[in-house]
Amino acid sequence: MRVTVVGGGIAGLTCALSLHAAGFQPQVCEAARTVEAVGLGINLLPHAVRELSELGLAGELVSAALPPRRLSYHDRAGEAVWEEPLGLAAGYHWPQYSVHRGRLQMLLLDAVRERLGLDAVRTGLLFQRFEQTEGGVRAHFLDRSSGLPTTVDGDVLVGADGIDSAVRAQLHPGESGPRWNGVHMWRGVAHHPHVLDGRSIVVAGGSPGAKFVAYPIEDPATPDGEALVNWVLEVRHEPSAAPPGGPGRPVTEAEARAGLSSWNLPWIDLATLAERSPAIFEYPMLDRDPLPRWSFGRVTLLGDAAHPMFPMGMNGGSQSVVDTRVLAWCLARDNDPAAALGRYDLMRRPVVNPVVLANRALGPEEIIARAADHGGALPAGQAENIAERYRELTRATVTQVNTHTSWAVPRHATEPAR
């Protein structure tokens, strides 16, 4: 089976690896002329790390990423209000990882090219539209190098082209644009002495727009060394139909210093963080309303094209990884591609759509928002209950992750669905 994957980001590349592991022939078509190691930090939760490990990438992740040991919530003065262990320290059989997004993308790209061949990822192809028949799907692209139209034929088309997905737009032509909550995220990376124990994800403040986040994504693993720290400052604006400035607006060091000046966090030097960040960018916090359907015949969506969500609970990228594994599992178990995509839709959409809505309601960061309103740590058990409720919603409790049946399938598997 030939599968055309539109989008060569983390979701698209993982999709190619998942499909190849199940015996299929994926072709990734990416709009950028070259795939480069750009971006900032991302977290992979244990349920995603399990799937990547079963794809044979455990060693690569150890080399590229850093496993945080705890999540620590603080108030605006830097005082701790709640914390919990992460990954192996929490009892999972797989770690959680913090990693530079670009480094992760290049890790996946190298694996795709090594396993599927150098031609498995075609760059400079800007998706235009698709047309499908009973026998296949033809995807139309603009070749950005030649300026000429080109087509790619396949048995299945997967839209993994992000929050502004052109595949999604064709499937749902009447849909409105992304939804903005009035918050901008100023994001940067900088070398800084270890924050707390050097293995913590730290979130300070309260509700969206009044929050600071920092976590290491790489360091020399020495007590007196400096870590490469990913940091985010949220800035509140009045919501409007469209966020001003657009994604990726450069933020000057002076602007960042001014924004950070109202924070007093004794365990991090915010002025130094701003000064040492080579580049700081502003991104609007966006999501989209959950869709009533992802799959139409031989065409489907996954990752941010299917379920873009606010960055609460560190779940967006991790859920995308799980999407790819379930998609490959479904395609391996049905000779009818349309039926397989319908099954994938029914298995994943009812799981992920509630996560999108839960993240709008702050997800597990309800803990820190309520602590800010409460004026300190919540009464015993409340924070733990909020965190566990969110893990159950996302199918990511320790028991669920450690014990669920593997999504790995024999190549060209034909056994019936379980």
Side-chain angles (χ1 to χ4, degrees), residues 1-4 127 129-140 151-158 170-171 296-300 331 335-339 341:
M1 184 185 294
R2 302 163 302 161
V3 183
T4 305
F127 178 81
R129 61 185 175 86
F130 68 81
E131 55 196 30
Q132 62 175 317
T133 65
E134 290 185 3
V137 186
R138 171 166 289 181
H140 295 260
T151 60
V152 178
D153 292 321
D155 301 296
V156 167
L157 178 71
V158 178
Q170 184 171 344
L171 293 176
F296 292 77
R298 293 171 176 262
V299 180
T300 196
L331 286 170
N335 291 326
D336 179 354
L341 297 190

Side-chain angles (χ1 to χ4, degrees), residues 347-361:
M347 292 176 69
R348 286 299 292 159
R349 184 173 43 81
V351 173
V352 185
N353 278 359
V355 180
V356 175
L357 298 178
N359 282 15
R360 284 186 183 175

Side-chain angles (χ1 to χ4, degrees), residues 326 329-330 333-334 338-348 416-417:
V326 177
W329 186 90
C330 290
R333 278 161 172 73
D334 203 314
L341 297 190
R343 178 185 300 157
Y344 157 73
D345 192 324
L346 290 174
M347 292 176 69
R348 286 299 292 159

